[in-house]
Amino acid sequence: MTAPGRIRAAFVAAWLSFLRRRTAVFFTFFFPVIIVLIFGALVQTQPTGGGLFTEPAAYYVPGYLAVVVLFTPLSRVGSEVARHREGGQFEKLATTPLSRWEWLLAQTLVNVAIIGLAGLLLLGLVVLVTGAEIAFSPLLIPFVALGVALFCGVGALIGSLASSQDGVIAASNGIALPLLFLSETFVPPSLLPEWFRPAILLSPLTYFSRGVRAATYGPGIEPLAGLPTAPLPYLGILAALTVVFFAIGAAALPRTD
């Protein structure tokens, strides 16, 4: 069997495994709904006020997308790796032609499909609930796909290093929560201390959020450390980071348990 055939077979197995976990399916799509309802309908934006959520609703679209692009791959791939380790699956995998990078690519493609659907649901809700006026740029597709692949690599790394599934969840939340609010998603750089603003550039999620904002809400992107305001440079940076983190995640996967 060729590499594409092996990846396709692993993709189908992972997709069917996801569909069999009804709780996982429910919360994968229910979680974005809750986020939009809380921040979009209850908190709402107040452009004339002060503090958080003072920008127009369209400004926060990258933040809503970042929730699913960040949290879902970290927890799903990390937990899947931990389950494989606990069940001795990587030892069995080592006896098959399926390589570690092929296995991780199949898992990544499943997550791209799942999060792509969740992202569509989320965008529809944002427009419906908040009345946000956004440009549905075709660049949203590669931004979401690359963002998911990047954090699938990080999730694989977490799952390979954590001692258990509980450890994966704790580590994933410990990484994701700070990144979510310190990567120019819901909190504009102007609200952060000036000395801290350059640290935003250390987060790979920053390049996702700034790129998505440039594609969907161009006028609202703030100058930051000389970074561009066009989306394509961010797409290039995100692609490079995705290759790096995916390679690290694939290399970290255990050969045996």
Side-chain angles (χ1 to χ4, degrees):
M1 183 182 288
T2 63
R6 293 193 296 270
I7 294 169
R8 187 184 309 112
F11 171 87
V12 171
W15 177 259
L16 294 177
S17 176
F18 168 72
L19 293 180
R20 283 194 294 268
R21 300 187 184 113
R22 295 183 180 180
T23 302
V25 174
F26 176 78
F27 280 103
T28 297
F29 294 97
F30 184 68
F31 186 53
V33 173
I34 290 297
I35 293 297
V36 172
L37 291 178
I38 290 175
F39 290 107
L42 298 181
V43 177
Q44 299 185 346
T45 60
Q46 301 178 24
T48 59
L52 293 175
F53 293 95
T54 59
E55 303 289 340
Y59 179 90
Y60 300 101
V61 168
Y64 295 127
L65 286 176
V67 171
V68 289
V69 167
L70 175 63
F71 279 88
T72 305
L74 287 183
S75 60
R76 289 199 73 253
V77 174
S79 297
E80 193 70 19
V81 172
R83 276 194 296 268
H84 273 59
R85 290 174 58 197
E86 293 172 3
Q89 295 300 310
F90 283 112
E91 190 170 37
K92 298 175 183 177
L93 183 65
T95 65
T96 71
L98 187 69
S99 65
R100 290 177 296 171
W101 75 265
E102 290 171 345
W103 181 87
L104 182 56
L105 180 57
Q107 297 291 329
T108 299
L109 292 174
V110 169
N111 278 275
V112 168
I114 293 169
I115 296 166
L117 293 174
L120 284 174
L121 172 63
L122 190 149
L123 286 175
L125 281 173
V126 167
V127 173
L128 180 64
V129 172
T130 69
E133 297 180 0
I134 62 176
F136 287 92
S137 169
L139 290 176
L140 281 173
I141 297 173
F143 268 115
V144 170
L146 288 172
V148 171
L150 190 158
F151 289 108
C152 281
V154 178
L157 181 61
I158 293 173
S160 300
L161 298 177
S163 57
S164 65
Q165 292 187 51
D166 289 340
V168 167
I169 299 301
S172 296
N173 290 335
I175 291 172
L177 283 173
L179 288 184
L180 181 62
F181 292 100
L182 298 177
S183 301
E184 201 174 337
T185 49
F186 294 107
V187 182
S190 58
L191 296 182
L192 297 173
E194 188 171 352
W195 60 267
F196 183 81
R197 292 173 195 172
I200 297 176
L201 304 180
L202 299 177
S203 169
L205 189 63
T206 296
Y207 303 100
F208 170 83
S209 62
R210 286 184 67 85
V212 170
R213 184 168 290 117
T216 61
Y217 185 65
I221 188 168
E222 292 186 23
L224 179 65
L227 290 177
T229 56
L232 287 179
Y234 293 109
L235 190 63
I237 295 172
L238 192 64
L241 291 172
T242 298
V243 171
V244 171
F245 280 99
F246 184 90
I248 293 173
L253 292 174
R255 295 182 183 275
T256 56
D257 305 289

